[in-house]
Amino acid sequence: MRLKIGLLTVGLLVGGVASAEVCTTQSQMTGAEREALVAAARGLAGKVQAGDVNGLRAATAAEYAKDFGGIGEVVNGTAAHVKGGSLKVEQVYLLDGTELKRAADGSVPDAQFFCSLNKTQAEADFIISGLAPGRYGFAMVDVPDGAAPWRLSFLLRQDQGQWVMAGFYPKPLLAAGHDGLWYWTQARLMKAQKEHWNAWLYYQQAESLLRPANFIQSTHLEKLKAEETAAAPPALSEGVSAESPLVVKGPDGVEYRFTGLGVDDSLGNDKVDVTAHLKVEQMGDAATARKHNSDAMTALLAAYPELRKPFHGVWMIAEAPGQSAFATEEAMSQIH
């Protein structure tokens, strides 16, 4: 499932909150600045495309290169999707964090970069936790004609005059053959038709496709997120989490506690799947766990039958304390 890849990609830097530093968009850069970032990003993307893990490691900042196992797995997984495709550098940003100061205990502050787009009120914001003082860049490289359209995004840092990798964030640009704007449009239609569960999940898929990395926010993404929040079903007024699970009672009277709901396209079907995380006390053997997952799917669809129409099926991920998760998938036609 894509969840595994997603967890591995956030292996270098993640989001936080901070005072603003300096951002320069590509239209405001000097030609030399822009060309250096573009060349570095294209070179890194080429190494990913070739599955050249050692070459990519050599082009990575030293503190991240020393623990490269997880990123190496991501590179190998991504290479198959982008092999043979053309590399198109879509956007580059220059992020100047040279004025960041370390705290007395040596810890580094969070950093926030506000990037005004084309001298309008629209912004792209980078909120990066634990960023050491320095000069950074961010680049998005699209591969539109590989096995499927993908985007390879890189956080870069300037070390001794050279741009090196400080973060790698690959993701597909399509899910079940559609892009993020399509899911956003469909979510709005679903909301208008009072299909709140479907709309809420389609907004999630739109956000997943449109956000290049978790630490990036923008005017458009904020609008999408606000619409997603407004579309949330009443049952999710307090969210859904381990602390506040969605409780659904099945036809047999058994209560199922869901701690997370989302979408997944790992099977490559013509529609995306619903994903549901299920809290269980004991997993039991494989046959017992599989039946419990299946019964939970039945309960979920009985409670919210609108989910049957726009999704291929359901991934149920049972999670018990101290045990490995147990995941199963069934098509809607198999869930009764």
Side-chain angles (χ1 to χ4, degrees):
M1 297 175 67
R2 185 182 301 152
L3 175 63
K4 180 179 179 182
I5 295 177
L7 289 172
L8 289 170
T9 60
V10 190
L12 299 178
L13 297 173
V14 295
V17 178
S19 59
E21 305 308 320
V22 180
C23 172
T24 306
T25 61
Q26 61 185 13
S27 63
Q28 299 169 320
M29 295 177 199
T30 66
E33 288 173 332
R34 185 168 54 251
E35 289 168 11
L37 280 170
V38 167
R42 185 176 285 114
L44 293 172
K47 289 178 172 59
V48 172
Q49 199 172 38
D52 183 5
V53 175
N54 290 333
L56 196 66
R57 183 173 185 171
T60 296
E63 62 266 40
Y64 305 124
K66 64 185 179 182
D67 184 15
F68 211 67
I71 298 302
E73 289 185 36
V74 176
V75 171
N76 288 328
T78 303
H81 297 286
V82 299
K83 185 176 181 180
S86 56
L87 303 176
K88 183 178 180 182
V89 181
E90 283 289 340
Q91 291 284 337
V92 292
Y93 297 86
L94 188 58
L95 310 174
D96 189 349
T98 53
E99 297 302 314
L100 289 167
K101 304 296 183 184
R102 292 184 181 272
D105 62 359
S107 63
V108 291
D110 296 345
Q112 183 165 324
F113 303 87
F114 296 127
C115 309
S116 296
L117 303 178
N118 298 323
K119 299 181 180 180
T120 68
Q121 292 184 339
E123 286 187 350
D125 302 334
F126 297 79
I127 307 170
I128 307 175
S129 177
L131 194 68
R135 200 162 183 250
Y136 293 85
F138 188 81
M140 293 180 282
V141 185
D142 284 0
V143 188
D145 52 359
W150 271 62
R151 171 167 290 162
L152 310 178
S153 296
F154 300 93
L155 184 67
L156 308 170
R157 190 176 75 196
Q158 197 170 47
D159 284 356
Q160 298 180 346
Q162 300 294 317
W163 287 109
V164 295
M165 189 175 80
F168 175 44
Y169 316 94
K171 62 168 47 185
L173 292 175
L174 302 179
H178 300 291
D179 63 15
L181 291 177
W182 184 88
Y183 282 98
W184 192 346
T185 300
Q186 294 301 306
R188 287 174 169 173
L189 293 174
M190 291 167 171
K191 181 183 177 184
Q193 295 166 359
K194 308 300 183 184
E195 297 177 9
H196 292 287
W197 287 94
N198 294 339
W200 183 68
L201 289 168
Y202 265 47
Y203 274 121
Q204 286 190 39
Q205 181 63 81
E207 182 181 2
S208 175
L209 292 170
L210 293 172
R211 188 185 300 276
N214 289 342
F215 53 77
I216 295 179
Q217 185 56 276
S218 72
T219 306
H220 296 302
L221 287 171
E222 286 178 357
K223 182 176 182 179
L224 188 157
K225 195 66 178 179
E227 290 183 23
E228 178 186 330
T229 300
L236 298 181
S237 59
E238 297 182 5
V240 54
S241 64
E243 295 73 28
S244 180
L246 172 69
V247 181
V248 175
K249 184 175 289 187
D252 54 2
V254 175
E255 286 190 344
Y256 299 91
R257 297 180 179 273
F258 299 101
T259 60
L261 293 170
V263 287
D264 180 84
D265 185 41
S266 60
L267 296 181
N269 290 306
D270 60 344
K271 297 178 182 178
V272 294
D273 282 318
V274 177
T275 61
H277 290 259
L278 177 67
K279 180 181 179 181
V280 298
E281 297 304 321
Q282 291 292 329
M283 199 71 70
D285 59 28
T288 300
R290 184 175 295 278
K291 183 179 186 307
H292 192 70
N293 276 11
S294 185
D295 291 344
M297 294 178 193
T298 298
L300 183 66
L301 295 183
Y304 309 112
E306 71 182 64
L307 294 172
R308 287 187 175 275
K309 182 180 177 181
F311 296 98
H312 165 266
V314 178
W315 275 103
M316 189 63 61
I317 306 164
E319 297 166 327
Q323 300 182 52
S324 298
F326 186 83
T328 55
E329 193 271 351
E330 294 183 26
M332 291 299 181
S333 60
Q334 298 172 318
I335 304 171
H336 304 290

